[in-house]
Amino acid sequence: MRNLALLGAALVSLSLQASMANADTSLLPADMVTDAAGIALTTPASAVQSAVQMTPFVEAASAMRLIGEDDTRRLSFYLAADQAAKAGTLRIAYTNAVSVLPDGASLAVSVNGHPVSSLPIRSPQGITTQDMKVEPALLQPGWNTVTLRARQHHRVDCSLDAVYELWTQIDAVQSGFMAATKVPDGDPAVLMTAGRTAAGTTELRVIGPSASVENLARQALPVIQSLALLLGRNDLKVVFAEASGGKPGIDLYLGDPSSKIQSAETRAVLAAAPGGLSMQDRGNGAVRVVLRGSSEQAVATALVHSVNGPFQPILSGAQALRQTSVITTDQPGRTRLADLGYTSEPFAGRLFRTSVTMVMPEDFYPGDYASIALRLSAATAPKLAPGAQLLVRVNDKAVTSHALYAPDGATLRDKPIDLPLRAFHPGVNKVDILAELPREDDKTCDLTARNEERPRFLLLSDTAFDIPALARAGRLPDLAAFAGRAYPFNQRDRMDVYVDRASPLRLGSAATILTRLALSARHPLAADLKLGAPTGDLQSTALVVTAGSREMTELDGKSLRTARFAAAGFDSMTTGSVTERLGVPGSDAGSEMQALLQAFQQRTADERSDPSVLARLMNGLQRGSDTVGRWLEYRDVADQPPHYRPDEVLATISQTGNGSHLASVTTVTAATEEDLVQGVDALTEPSAWQTLRGGSALVRRSDLSVVTAEPPSYSFYPLTDTSIGNLRRLTAAWLSDHFLVYVGLILLLIGSFGLWLGYIVPRKGVRTVR
């Protein structure tokens, strides 16, 4: 009995130690916190590690949302050879809209093209986790693909608008592959097991003392970019921290243990690690990466050796996977939906939808000189209602439609549908193919009479996109090219990263943006970290990150706004006392007065009871020009950014020219460090990052949404393609942008021909016989 009592006491003690190690000690007395910390430090690492190792999906949460009655998503994860041989369990954690009818709603799951299971969709109140056993025969070493297909219907509404209320969201934090065996430390696959935080981001924490954060950041920038490319995740966030917090993510230690700038924790970790790059699974989604070298050159050499050696299968496999999931338009050609993994299946719902990602070159110049041809091969069922139609949206803008109504059904083979190039922009573009398929019996909305065996539409997999030769001329400013392919930072020239002050939060924000650019460029960027503001002799492409600055920086006589509200189209007026502002030394009284004058004219414009004929004529021409311009550029009135008060804006990003030098300066700024971190998180969120376009954008404080603004004009980089064909396309594109010049040239030619004809006919023509 005494032995049993001792055993029970030992078990209780171990249980208390484990609970104290994971408990929130913020409310405990100081002596208890110290004791708890001591217990946690003396607990072996193997005792606190999770018993099962999960490899999360690479895709971010925004790419894991299934919308509508029938939608498909493809997710990917990486396995070592031993993990694939011993298999494991696929975990899917999800929640869905409350409007989804639970009866018949299902989520079909397949691995590498082989069906695994079908899950019911019935979790509107929170996240539900489902585990599915996967056989070794279905897995392969390296990259594996999971295909999710959601079929769901509305509870009470049968209208087409109700289809958009249907969604199922996969949780990126808890979903992934649970391997039956752990990856040994040092295997490159250990890096792929890094988990996500509760916020859904992959944190890359650079561990080191805050006092030497500047030197640490200089050394870490190339390492961070390489790790980001290896991971392939676009939800990465860089944090500079003094100690590891044990959270999911990656803890990076680098340098020499004998260096005086290292902290005690960093020195101990570096001393215990072998030379070069090493990795260790710390459990619960935490991965420790150590890059030990006696100098910066040794660290760089070890990094290059690892990327070109053991990490090469990960990179090459990811590149092959990317080539089969997006359409790259650098060269003319045809891409079928079958080449992107699409399979033809009959569709029985009311709204069919499939999406394609199209990556345009960074120097793509949009215009009406050509179009992308959608070669449609499809079939419709009889008895569709007259409103049946096919819609094609580019970046959430409807660009074309085609009627699908046919009483006896229709079959379309290689039907050409033109997609204007003006609807696209450099970088990543999303093309949605939608088919609205109403029937007369939908009006009765009898859910019990729904017949899933009677299809309405079939889109064949040999439907293709024909890409024409594109006009190539790099524009400035263009945040779409900046976000899509990191243009012009991706030109393999050295770039400058300016941070106004060396602090962990500022440097972390700058490193996060730089890492996101490296992912867009698909290669690390050669960046020089500099403190302070850029000077007037700046001749290279620069990224400027500031917080709390409201000054103007002069560049070659042209002002580059580094204040919070520098972006064109945003109101920088405040509601404070104007007289106090004008009394502050150094304030720009002229700009304040001009802003007040403009605001007064806008307020009193409607009170002009009898404007002059000339004023009415000019206003009418201006409205007509704006309408035609919006129509040509696929912009709505809602696309024009409203004016925001300073307290409504969290952060801004703007791109400007660098004086007479053909380079660009991209500035990210906020009022405080905390606003800067939150604003950068919102800007680099994957779904928001892809919406960046124009010359500037801001993050709205209320809902963290991104609002963009078009620049008043563009400048161009030197042409890299001076062929006759490219010059012809650029001329046609320029004329399509300046349609009044085009119309004027046509009228001039017609008038010249009329004058010539009136001159030559009386002299050379046939005389009339009287």
Side-chain angles (χ1 to χ4, degrees):
M1 292 293 294
R2 185 173 182 274
N3 293 335
L4 290 177
L6 291 175
L7 178 60
L11 292 176
V12 171
S13 177
L14 289 175
S15 176
L16 288 175
Q17 290 178 14
S19 62
M20 288 292 291
N22 296 323
D24 183 5
T25 60
S26 59
L27 301 180
L28 296 179
D31 54 347
M32 293 185 64
V33 173
T34 305
D35 294 341
I39 293 173
L41 289 175
T42 57
T43 303
S46 59
V48 297
Q49 288 183 4
S50 175
V52 180
Q53 187 180 54
M54 187 180 79
T55 301
F57 296 119
V58 172
E59 289 73 17
S62 58
M64 297 186 183
R65 194 176 185 89
L66 299 104
I67 305 174
E69 294 175 311
D70 193 337
D71 199 6
T72 301
R73 289 291 180 270
R74 292 175 178 84
L75 311 177
S76 54
F77 62 94
Y78 188 89
L79 293 180
D82 192 36
Q83 288 180 309
K86 295 184 179 180
T89 302
L90 185 67
R91 172 167 292 179
I92 301 296
Y94 74 94
T95 184
N96 58 270
V98 69
S99 56
V100 174
L101 179 67
D103 299 337
S106 63
L107 184 67
V109 183
S110 63
V111 177
N112 295 326
H114 301 282
V116 172
S117 180
S118 181
L119 312 176
I121 300 178
R122 53 186 66 171
S123 183
Q125 303 301 325
I127 295 177
T128 295
T129 301
Q130 297 282 351
D131 291 343
M132 294 151 283
K133 183 70 177 178
V134 181
E135 299 298 328
L138 304 183
L139 300 172
Q140 60 188 16
W143 291 100
N144 294 260
T145 302
V146 174
T147 303
L148 305 177
R149 183 180 183 184
R151 298 184 182 183
Q152 49 200 0
H153 299 283
H154 204 282
R155 287 177 179 266
V156 295
D157 198 344
C158 294
S159 65
L160 282 174
D161 293 336
V163 175
Y164 294 97
E165 300 177 6
L166 304 174
W167 55 264
T168 297
Q169 177 67 54
I170 308 300
D171 182 39
V173 178
Q174 303 181 48
S175 301
F177 186 79
M178 316 288 291
T181 181
K182 290 190 175 183
V183 183
D185 291 340
D187 192 299
V190 171
L191 189 67
M192 313 307 292
T193 65
R196 291 182 169 93
T197 63
T201 60
T202 303
E203 274 196 4
L204 201 163
R205 297 175 291 271
V206 184
I207 309 301
S210 298
S212 57
V213 66
E214 179 186 350
N215 294 329
L216 186 64
R218 295 182 191 277
Q219 197 173 6
L221 287 183
V223 182
I224 292 170
Q225 297 180 70
S226 299
L227 293 177
L229 291 170
L230 288 169
L231 276 172
R233 304 184 193 177
N234 55 10
D235 57 5
L236 199 67
K237 177 180 179 178
V238 180
V239 176
F240 288 91
E242 292 191 345
S244 173
K247 297 189 300 182
I250 299 174
D251 293 326
L252 174 62
Y253 300 81
L254 74 161
D256 185 9
S258 61
S259 175
K260 297 181 180 180
I261 66 173
Q262 303 292 357
S263 63
E265 177 184 345
T266 307
R267 190 177 296 110
V269 172
L270 290 173
L277 182 65
S278 59
M279 289 160 293
Q280 183 183 6
D281 177 24
R282 303 293 294 171
N284 299 321
V287 175
R288 174 183 289 176
V289 177
V290 182
L291 188 56
R292 177 178 175 178
S294 58
S295 62
E296 291 188 11
Q297 182 62 35
V299 169
T301 302
L303 178 63
V304 172
H305 179 268
S306 299
V307 170
N308 294 333
F311 285 109
Q312 194 58 39
I314 298 179
L315 291 172
S316 58
Q319 179 64 21
L321 200 64
R322 176 180 171 81
Q323 291 176 352
T324 59
S325 60
V326 301
I327 299 178
T328 304
T329 61
D330 294 87
Q331 298 296 330
R334 171 174 292 191
T335 302
R336 302 180 306 147
L337 292 182
D339 301 330
L340 303 176
Y342 175 83
T343 56
S344 302
E345 291 190 24
F347 177 74
R350 292 159 293 169
L351 181 64
F352 171 86
R353 177 177 182 172
T354 188
S355 300
V356 173
T357 300
M358 194 172 295
V359 181
M360 307 297 285
E362 57 270 29
D363 56 350
F364 161 67
Y365 187 80
D368 294 331
Y369 54 91
S371 61
I372 295 176
L374 171 62
R375 299 289 181 176
L376 180 66
S377 295
T380 61
K383 298 183 179 180
L384 292 180
Q389 63 175 338
L390 182 86
L391 296 173
V392 181
R393 294 181 178 177
V394 178
N395 298 321
D396 297 325
K397 301 289 185 181
V399 298
T400 188
S401 63
H402 179 76
L404 294 178
Y405 171 68
D408 298 325
T411 301
L412 306 174
R413 296 294 301 181
D414 205 28
K415 170 71 176 179
I417 299 178
D418 291 335
L419 309 181
L421 285 178
R422 186 178 294 280
F424 295 82
H425 56 64
V428 180
N429 297 261
K430 185 180 68 171
V431 181
D432 295 320
I433 303 175
L434 302 96
E436 296 181 351
L437 309 165
R439 293 174 59 97
E440 293 298 334
D441 52 7
D442 290 340
K443 298 178 181 180
T444 60
C445 199
D446 187 0
L447 301 179
T448 60
R450 181 183 284 119
N451 186 2
E452 297 295 335
E453 301 299 327
R454 185 174 61 179
R456 304 187 184 189
F457 182 71
L458 175 65
L459 180 67
L460 299 178
S461 59
D462 58 354
T463 297
F465 290 89
D466 283 345
I467 308 300
L470 304 176
R472 310 292 288 269
R475 298 189 302 178
L476 179 72
D478 196 341
L479 289 179
F482 168 84
R485 284 194 172 183
Y487 189 76
F489 297 91
N490 61 349
Q491 299 304 296
R492 298 189 183 276
D493 297 329
R494 298 202 68 83
M495 59 173 287
D496 295 324
V497 178
Y498 285 90
V499 180
D500 57 346
R501 186 163 61 86
S503 68
L505 293 181
R506 283 173 163 88
L507 291 172
S509 298
T512 298
I513 298 175
L514 181 63
T515 301
R516 194 63 184 84
L517 290 174
L519 287 169
S520 299
R522 313 307 302 174
H523 63 78
L525 305 177
D528 290 332
L529 178 62
K530 299 181 179 181
L531 295 183
T535 58
D537 58 350
L538 181 63
Q539 300 184 16
S540 62
T541 305
L543 172 67
V544 181
V545 178
T546 65
S549 173
R550 298 187 61 89
E551 299 177 353
M552 300 284 291
T553 302
E554 298 295 329
L555 289 178
D556 289 343
K558 293 187 177 181
S559 61
L560 169 66
R561 285 190 177 270
T562 58
R564 292 175 59 200
F565 311 103
F570 302 138
D571 190 1
S572 60
M573 294 176 58
T574 64
T575 57
S577 172
V578 176
T579 56
E580 292 177 1
R581 287 290 308 276
L582 295 180
V584 175
S587 63
D588 192 346
S591 61
E592 292 282 354
M593 288 298 181
Q594 182 64 26
L596 287 173
L597 179 60
Q598 292 178 357
F600 174 80
Q601 291 175 346
Q602 293 175 0
R603 285 290 187 88
T604 59
D606 296 335
E607 300 176 5
R608 299 173 186 174
S609 58
D610 188 19
S612 63
V613 176
L614 180 60
R616 289 198 297 267
L617 179 61
M618 295 302 295
N619 290 335
L621 290 176
Q622 183 63 42
R623 287 194 299 269
S625 177
D626 293 342
T627 302
V628 173
R630 288 196 302 269
W631 175 72
L632 285 175
E633 298 181 8
Y634 296 94
R635 292 186 287 111
D636 298 329
V637 176
D639 291 335
Q640 304 301 322
H643 293 282
Y644 291 97
R645 299 190 309 271
D647 59 340
E648 295 178 315
V649 179
L650 183 68
T652 62
I653 179 173
S654 61
Q655 195 174 73
T656 60
N658 184 12
S660 60
H661 302 297
L662 295 175
S664 68
V665 178
T666 304
T667 304
V668 181
T669 184
T672 64
E673 284 190 340
E674 292 73 17
D675 287 353
L676 179 65
V677 172
Q678 192 176 10
V680 168
D681 290 346
L683 286 172
T684 56
E685 196 276 327
S687 59
W689 182 263
Q690 295 181 4
T691 63
L692 291 179
R693 57 184 175 86
S696 55
L698 61 80
V699 179
R700 197 162 52 188
R701 186 181 296 274
S702 59
D703 56 1
L704 299 182
S705 62
V706 177
V707 182
T708 61
E710 294 294 332
S713 62
Y714 289 99
S715 58
F716 294 88
Y717 288 94
L719 291 179
T720 57
D721 184 0
T722 56
S723 63
I724 298 298
N726 190 51
L727 295 178
R728 178 189 63 80
R729 290 187 291 270
L730 287 174
T731 302
W734 187 88
L735 289 175
S736 67
D737 286 340
H738 304 81
F739 61 94
L740 292 179
V741 176
Y742 181 77
V743 173
L745 289 176
I746 294 297
L747 294 177
L748 179 62
L749 290 175
I750 293 176
S752 299
F753 179 74
L755 291 176
W756 175 82
L757 197 63
Y759 174 80
I760 200 68
V761 167
R763 292 164 175 76
K764 303 295 183 180
V766 179
R767 295 181 179 179
T768 303
V769 179
R770 295 181 180 177

